[in-house]
Amino acid sequence: MESVLFKGAYVPGQGNVDVGVRGGRIDLVGRGEAGNYDRVIAADNCALLPGFVNAHGHAAMTLLRSAADDLPLQQWLEEKIWPLEARLNSRRVYWGTMLAIAEMIRSGTTTFTDMYFFEDAVAQAAEETGIRAVLSRGLVAVGPGFDQAMAETREFVRTWQGRGDGRITTLVGPHAPYTCPQPYLEEILDLARELGRPLQIHLAETRSEVEESRRQYGKSPVAVLEEAGMFALPVLAAHCVHLSPEDIDILARYDVRVAHNPTSNLKLGSGIAPVPALLAKGVTVGLGTDGAASNNNLDMMEEIRLAALIHKGAHHDPTLISAQQALAMATAMGARAVFLEEEIGAIREGFKADLILLDLDKPHLTPRHNVEAHIVYAAQASDICLVMVDGKILLEDGHLTTIDEERVLYEAARAARELLEQ
Ligand code: NI
């Protein structure tokens, strides 16, 4: 793998510096000697950022993009999404995931999180394309196939944990408290302990989920999971839209990581997560796109901007969620949300070289009073001119280096047609 020196790039929080990459890791932040590297990239008109971490999603749902819109969550799931998902198979999930990865690399995502079915096909796509991935087979206990899904989870973790030179890591993925009630949840927690892997779950996404939990158990979904002992293990919880102050205290006390999905929550009419309150209590909050069926794209730059905007509007307070905080949620905090904070999420010597280069030489990014604010409030995914994961360039000059994009578009469109046809 060639060594690369990014010369003179603007790095948020560090100013204009040189960043060297060797053997898949950042080996220099400061002043670099061009002669010490195989390749030098002049970057003085660019910003160099840690790649974005998409902390929640279902990649292959790209196949369902715009197949069902403008419906409430339960109706959307039960009448539209689940019947189509019943027709998925490994090949279709593979091509849907390849489509998602192409889109994610183009918009600066270097790590994505996934919870779905046929997860081996997701892992295969991640391994082939060079992206970093945090993957789990979704577990739904209400309904048939739970034992098989548990066996598949065990096999999946044993097969894929650490594959792709460590780019692939695994989680145990109970879908939600309402689809994984006791005693199934206990079995799932035992499995997570046995495998030594963290968990991810959808939590407190809608008001009706919380109301139903209070009716059935007399407590919130967060309190139900606490009582079940789930938070004694490391947990990534997606959404967390409807939280009481007590719920927020519980999440903070157990260091539960939260994935904030502002677009999906707005589109499904679920609400706006209390992110300022979570951050004030020290909770780690990452950002996610959720699946493309409830977004309807996988562009993290849109999530960053929305995360910086909606809390200001909702609370009539323009000081909430600064540009720096929004960017951190997509990078350093995102890395911590998916349990990779010691490897990625910052431009630091020794960290994995997961980097994106943004071309600042654009009308909408001129003048340059504040580059961090530009990235959050003004930049577009099309400004990203280079994407690197593990020291390997995956996008440059508009071309994906590891993906046959024409074929992916063709095969994904075909797989999507098949879902509707059968
Ligand atoms: Ni989701």
Side-chain angles (χ1 to χ4, degrees):
M1 197 190 303
E2 67 174 3
S3 57
V4 176
L5 181 68
F6 293 95
K7 194 81 185 145
Y10 181 86
V11 175
Q14 305 189 55
N16 284 85
V17 291
D18 303 337
V19 175
V21 173
R22 194 184 305 276
R25 290 185 186 268
I26 296 165
D27 78 331
L28 171 128
V29 182
R31 283 283 155 249
E33 226 15 85
N36 292 343
Y37 292 87
D38 299 327
R39 184 177 170 197
V40 176
I41 295 175
D44 39 337
N45 265 322
C46 299
L48 188 69
L49 317 178
F52 300 137
V53 177
N54 187 343
H56 181 72
H58 316 277
M61 288 186 88
T62 49
L63 299 180
L64 308 177
R65 194 194 320 263
S66 304
D69 298 288
D70 310 325
L71 295 170
L73 177 68
Q74 281 314 319
Q75 190 188 353
W76 176 77
L77 279 175
E78 287 166 22
E79 293 176 19
K80 302 285 185 179
I81 297 300
W82 286 343
L84 289 171
E85 284 183 332
R87 297 169 185 167
L88 287 170
N89 58 30
S90 184
R91 179 177 60 81
R92 291 169 187 163
V93 166
Y94 171 82
W95 288 111
T97 304
M98 289 294 279
L99 181 65
I101 292 173
E103 184 187 353
M104 288 193 284
I105 293 172
R106 283 195 172 282
S107 45
T109 292
T110 53
T111 298
F112 76 101
T113 312
D114 198 72
M115 178 199 286
Y116 217 50
F117 329 103
F118 304 103
E119 201 66 22
D120 288 293
V122 179
Q124 190 194 332
E127 186 173 45
E128 289 172 9
T129 55
I131 198 167
R132 193 176 304 281
V134 182
L135 307 177
S136 65
R137 197 249 188 255
L139 295 165
V140 174
V142 289
F146 177 66
D147 290 339
Q148 193 195 331
M150 290 286 280
E152 284 177 17
T153 295
R154 183 180 281 111
E155 192 56 33
F156 180 78
V157 170
R158 286 185 180 157
T159 305
W160 290 102
Q161 176 63 33
R163 280 270 287 270
D165 296 324
R167 278 186 294 107
I168 296 173
T169 55
T170 58
L171 303 174
V172 174
H175 168 261
Y178 59 92
T179 55
C180 297
Q182 297 281 16
Y184 301 102
L185 186 61
E186 253 166 57
E187 266 187 70
I188 293 168
L189 300 186
D190 284 342
L191 181 63
R193 271 184 220 104
E194 173 199 321
L195 297 171
R197 297 305 307 155
L199 295 122
Q200 71 163 332
I201 190 165
H202 295 92
L203 182 58
E205 180 172 2
T206 62
R207 189 157 50 195
S208 65
E209 176 192 338
V210 175
E211 282 168 359
E212 180 59 23
S213 175
R214 289 196 186 279
R215 198 186 58 74
Q216 216 176 327
Y217 306 106
K219 50 179 75 116
S220 73
V222 171
V224 168
L225 295 187
E226 184 201 19
E227 192 176 81
M230 182 158 174
F231 299 146
L233 297 163
V235 174
L236 165 62
H239 302 305
C240 296
V241 175
H242 297 276
L243 301 176
S244 67
E246 295 74 33
D247 289 336
I248 292 174
D249 285 339
I250 292 171
L251 297 178
R253 190 176 332 129
Y254 291 94
D255 191 19
V256 175
R257 328 276 160 105
V258 170
H260 177 37
N261 303 274
T263 304
S264 175
N265 296 155
L266 286 181
K267 184 153 188 284
L268 291 168
S270 302
I272 298 175
V275 171
L278 287 164
L279 292 176
K281 290 277 180 178
V283 176
T284 294
V285 181
L287 285 180
T289 57
D290 210 351
S294 63
N295 190 302
N296 292 354
N297 65 36
L298 306 177
D299 182 350
M300 280 290 288
M301 295 193 79
E302 288 189 359
E303 302 306 320
I304 293 168
R305 181 165 313 151
L306 196 51
L309 293 177
I310 54 171
H311 306 286
K312 294 174 166 70
H315 296 273
H316 309 282
D317 182 352
T319 68
L320 292 178
I321 314 292
S322 66
Q324 283 78 3
Q325 279 179 307
L327 206 50
M329 285 197 274
T331 54
M333 263 202 287
R336 188 163 196 281
V338 303
F339 313 101
L340 292 174
E341 70 271 23
E342 282 165 20
E343 296 274 36
I344 60 163
I347 295 186
R348 187 179 302 161
E349 284 173 23
F351 267 41
K352 298 276 193 185
D354 288 14
L355 302 168
I356 58 181
L357 197 63
L358 254 102
D359 182 2
L360 298 173
D361 203 11
K362 299 279 178 80
H364 59 279
L365 302 177
T366 302
R368 275 176 227 161
H369 292 305
N370 183 329
V371 175
E372 282 87 341
H374 272 1
I375 294 162
V376 173
Y377 296 119
Q380 305 162 1
S382 55
D383 301 329
I384 295 166
C385 51
L386 184 146
V387 174
M388 175 182 271
V389 176
D390 239 10
K392 183 172 177 181
I393 293 172
L394 303 187
L395 174 86
E396 188 170 19
D397 297 330
H399 295 288
L400 296 169
T401 63
T402 56
I403 296 176
D404 179 346
E405 203 166 19
E406 199 182 348
R407 175 151 192 233
V408 168
L409 266 56
Y410 172 81
E411 295 286 359
R414 183 163 75 120
R417 249 188 340 265
E418 288 167 359
L419 294 182
L420 297 170
E421 269 168 7
Q422 276 183 10

